[in-house]
Amino acid sequence: MMIDCGEGTQLAMRRMKLRFSRLSHIFISHLHGDHVLGLPGLLSTLALHGKTGRVTVHTFPEGIDLLQRVVSFFCREPGYEIVYEPVSYDGGIVYEDNALTVEAFRLYHRVPCVGYVFREKAKPRHLVGDMVKFLEIPISKLHGIKMGDDFVKPDGTVIPNGRITKPADPSVSYAYCSDTVYDPRVAAAVKGIDTVYHEATYIDADMSKAHDRGHATASEAARIALEAGASRLILGHYSKSYENESRHLAEASAIFPNTILANEGLTIDLL
Amino acid sequence: MMIDCGEGTQLAMRRMKLRFSRLSHIFISHLHGDHVLGLPGLLSTLALHGKTGRVTVHTFPEGIDLLQRVVSFFCREPGYEIVYEPVSYDGGIVYEDNALTVEAFRLYHRVPCVGYVFREKAKPRHLVGDMVKFLEIPISKLHGIKMGDDFVKPDGTVIPNGRITKPADPSVSYAYCSDTVYDPRVAAAVKGIDTVYHEATYIDADMSKAHDRGHATASEAARIALEAGASRLILGHYSKSYENESRHLAEASAIFPNTILANEGLTIDLL
């Protein structure tokens, strides 16, 4: 899954040796060029690489017509299906499978813009093999027990779930807050999420510029992470007017210590 | 002036610290994504950098409507004028000023495609200052003398141009042969050009693949340079299926020794 697709995304994927064939969903936050202009090239390259199956592009309805035109012009016979799924500025679930939901939520930029929250569903608990064998639990009961059921023996004795299972692996969660001004409603939308990415275009010295242009400062991103109760904050989307991001990091860390600077190629384990 | 604008062109320009403000003309060879998908991003970035004046995009009529739509969607108030000039597949002069002509000529790819020839016009000869002073040549005559006139003294004596001027600097010429199969008509179109860029997607071992896909091998590029009487050949547009371009260079150099491999960042003095 990919969030946003600026110009050069396919080039970055090549540099990082990511496999094009595994891409299935692209979630677009808003229709500014630096978040979407890599799509036609990426989708064309997928075709050249013999991609099969389907890629779903999630974006606002006003972008779908334009993207379809451009992509179909430059990628005439893709060999795989390209599906465009409209996203509402009001947010809502945009993807769901057995293991994961993806939900859009409103951000506050110069144009309609959404963030995305990825939530792993609760995972099955781990069976304790020796107990399963000892109690001769029938296979038909195992799924329910993994999901938290107690086991009732033929004689009516109840074996509590905690004695035959170990806790499930934790479910990870990730929120992506693309271009936005600081707004407490963003913190509410990502409440309880472990890892929060939040744009940090500017530093505090340029706060008025940030507000004028619909962006946030690094310390504002940190306030969002703090208010949301996140365990980790990732900054990104830095203005090119700074030589480096040391002040972004310092200003955010003063408010929210567990802050990381995102830069091209950063790979994070969400666990 | 820029020829073609694939995805990531603006990023390459930044890496090379080229000045966005100096760009005035973009000549597109054909409407495949790898030659044109960098345009919307580049034109948007020009606007962000406060570009004024005008940028003219030269391309086939069937691309103009689509480009206009995309560019105007992502770059709403550019602050400079974007002009689209239609190019004919039959070729012809597409640009001319006091110093330079740019001419399109037909190439032979899977879709309509043109190359571009850049020809500096003849330059004025250099005046010999001492002679101008000694002969008391009036200022009004100097332009004509630089262009080759003799000087006629008030007493009717004719001073031949060669005694009061030195030869002009040579005029440079450059031809860009974008995607094309080998075709002797290309050599005819670039006859007498000093520096010829020619695509060399494949090596000879993959010649049938080259022909199937409307591309050339490095040795075919060399034949074009040889038949055209070029003084220098630049290869480019290599297939990503090769680890490096050593065989391209070897195969082309065997036919046309003064061959250079183009790669990102290559800067060439045309003199």
Side-chain angles (χ1 to χ4, degrees):
Chain A
M1 295 184 163
M2 175 184 284
I3 319 172
D4 283 343
C5 188
E7 183 174 350
T9 297
Q10 60 161 317
L11 307 171
M13 286 181 75
R14 277 214 188 102
R15 280 194 293 273
M16 296 185 64
K17 303 198 189 305
L18 297 178
R19 275 199 280 161
F20 288 111
S21 58
R22 295 185 61 193
L23 186 63
S24 60
H25 288 267
I26 303 172
F27 301 95
I28 300 295
S29 67
H30 65 300
L31 296 163
H32 274 166
D34 56 331
H35 292 253
V36 71
L37 283 174
L39 263 182
L42 174 64
L43 296 174
S44 304
T45 294
L46 288 177
L48 287 176
H49 281 244
K51 166 85 180 169
T52 54
R54 175 191 288 187
V55 170
T56 306
V57 178
H58 304 261
T59 188
F60 293 130
E62 60 267 38
I64 290 178
D65 175 59
L66 185 76
L67 281 172
Q68 268 182 322
R69 256 171 219 268
V70 178
V71 170
S72 64
F73 188 93
F74 290 109
C75 180
R76 292 188 193 257
E77 288 168 4
Y80 67 98
E81 195 187 358
I82 304 173
V83 177
Y84 295 87
E85 275 287 334
V87 170
S88 163
Y89 186 38
D90 294 325
I93 298 286
V94 292
Y95 174 83
E96 180 162 17
D97 65 22
N98 290 335
L100 180 75
T101 62
V102 183
E103 187 183 354
F105 61 95
R106 190 179 281 218
L107 294 173
Y108 306 93
H109 191 40
R110 301 195 304 275
V111 296
C113 184
V114 291
Y116 291 98
V117 175
F118 294 70
R119 285 185 186 87
E120 267 194 323
K121 294 184 177 175
K123 296 176 182 174
R125 296 175 63 87
H126 295 284
L127 298 170
V128 177
D130 287 347
M131 288 297 289
V132 171
K133 206 177 283 174
F134 174 74
L135 294 168
E136 295 177 337
I137 303 176
I139 289 174
S140 63
K141 298 284 181 195
L142 292 182
H143 178 73
I145 290 172
K146 285 199 230 176
M147 301 316 285
D149 292 351
D150 297 331
F151 174 57
V152 184
K153 293 212 297 194
D155 67 5
T157 320
V158 174
I159 312 291
N161 186 281
R163 286 190 56 204
I164 40 180
T165 67
K166 287 185 184 162
D169 293 331
S171 295
V172 302
S173 56
Y174 174 69
Y176 174 87
C177 307
S178 178
D179 300 15
T180 187
V181 293
Y182 168 80
D183 192 299
R185 288 170 289 183
V186 174
V190 303
K191 193 91 191 165
I193 297 298
D194 296 332
T195 301
V196 173
Y197 165 92
H198 195 289
E199 75 123 294
T201 309
Y202 294 102
I203 58 174
D204 280 344
D206 297 317
M207 192 174 277
S208 66
K209 209 182 277 181
H211 295 181
D212 287 353
R213 301 183 182 177
H215 288 299
T217 68
S219 71
E220 290 174 329
R223 283 169 61 196
I224 294 290
L226 192 68
E227 290 160 18
S231 57
R232 180 164 53 173
L233 169 65
I234 304 172
L235 303 181
H237 201 271
Y238 322 112
S239 161
K240 297 219 189 302
S241 60
Y242 306 109
E243 256 183 49
N244 60 55
E245 290 84 42
S246 58
R247 284 172 298 174
H248 295 74
L249 184 61
E251 292 181 3
S253 299
I255 293 166
F256 189 87
N258 194 12
T259 297
I260 301 170
L261 291 174
N263 270 307
E264 189 186 307
L266 176 69
T267 307
I268 280 186
D269 193 335
L270 287 175
L271 267 182
Chain B
M1 295 183 162
M2 175 184 284
I3 319 172
D4 282 343
C5 188
E7 183 174 350
T9 297
Q10 61 160 318
L11 308 171
M13 286 182 75
R14 277 212 188 101
R15 280 194 293 273
M16 296 185 64
K17 303 199 189 305
L18 297 178
R19 276 200 279 161
F20 288 111
S21 58
R22 295 186 62 193
L23 186 63
S24 59
H25 287 267
I26 304 172
F27 301 95
I28 300 295
S29 68
H30 65 299
L31 296 163
H32 275 165
D34 56 331
H35 292 255
V36 71
L37 283 174
L39 263 182
L42 175 63
L43 296 174
S44 305
T45 294
L46 288 177
L48 287 176
H49 281 244
K51 165 86 180 168
T52 55
R54 174 191 290 185
V55 170
T56 306
V57 178
H58 304 261
T59 188
F60 292 130
E62 60 268 39
I64 290 179
D65 175 59
L66 184 76
L67 282 172
Q68 269 182 323
R69 257 172 217 268
V70 179
V71 170
S72 64
F73 188 93
F74 290 109
C75 180
R76 292 189 193 255
E77 288 168 5
Y80 67 98
E81 194 188 357
I82 304 173
V83 177
Y84 295 88
E85 276 286 335
V87 170
S88 162
Y89 186 37
D90 294 325
I93 299 285
V94 292
Y95 175 84
E96 179 162 16
D97 64 22
N98 290 334
L100 181 74
T101 61
V102 183
E103 188 183 352
F105 61 95
R106 189 179 281 217
L107 294 173
Y108 307 93
H109 191 41
R110 301 195 303 276
V111 296
C113 184
V114 290
Y116 291 98
V117 175
F118 294 70
R119 285 185 185 88
E120 267 194 322
K121 293 184 178 174
K123 295 176 183 175
R125 297 175 64 85
H126 295 284
L127 296 170
V128 177
D130 288 347
M131 289 297 289
V132 171
K133 206 176 285 174
F134 175 73
L135 294 167
E136 295 177 338
I137 303 176
I139 290 174
S140 63
K141 297 285 180 194
L142 292 183
H143 178 73
I145 289 172
K146 284 198 230 177
M147 302 315 285
D149 293 351
D150 296 331
F151 174 56
V152 184
K153 292 211 297 193
D155 68 5
T157 320
V158 173
I159 312 291
N161 186 280
R163 286 191 56 203
I164 41 180
T165 66
K166 287 185 183 160
D169 293 332
S171 295
V172 303
S173 57
Y174 173 69
Y176 173 86
C177 308
S178 177
D179 300 15
T180 187
V181 293
Y182 168 81
D183 192 298
R185 287 170 290 183
V186 174
V190 303
K191 193 92 190 165
I193 297 298
D194 296 332
T195 301
V196 172
Y197 165 92
H198 195 289
E199 75 124 292
T201 309
Y202 294 102
I203 59 172
D204 281 344
D206 297 318
M207 193 174 277
S208 66
K209 209 183 278 182
H211 295 181
D212 286 353
R213 300 183 183 177
H215 288 299
T217 68
S219 71
E220 290 174 328
R223 282 168 62 195
I224 294 290
L226 192 69
E227 290 160 16
S231 56
R232 181 164 52 173
L233 170 64
I234 304 171
L235 303 181
H237 201 271
Y238 321 111
S239 161
K240 296 220 190 302
S241 60
Y242 305 110
E243 256 184 49
N244 61 54
E245 291 83 40
S246 57
R247 283 171 298 174
H248 295 74
L249 184 61
E251 292 180 5
S253 299
I255 293 166
F256 188 87
N258 194 13
T259 297
I260 301 170
L261 291 174
N263 270 307
E264 190 186 305
L266 177 69
T267 307
I268 280 186
D269 193 335
L270 287 175
L271 266 181

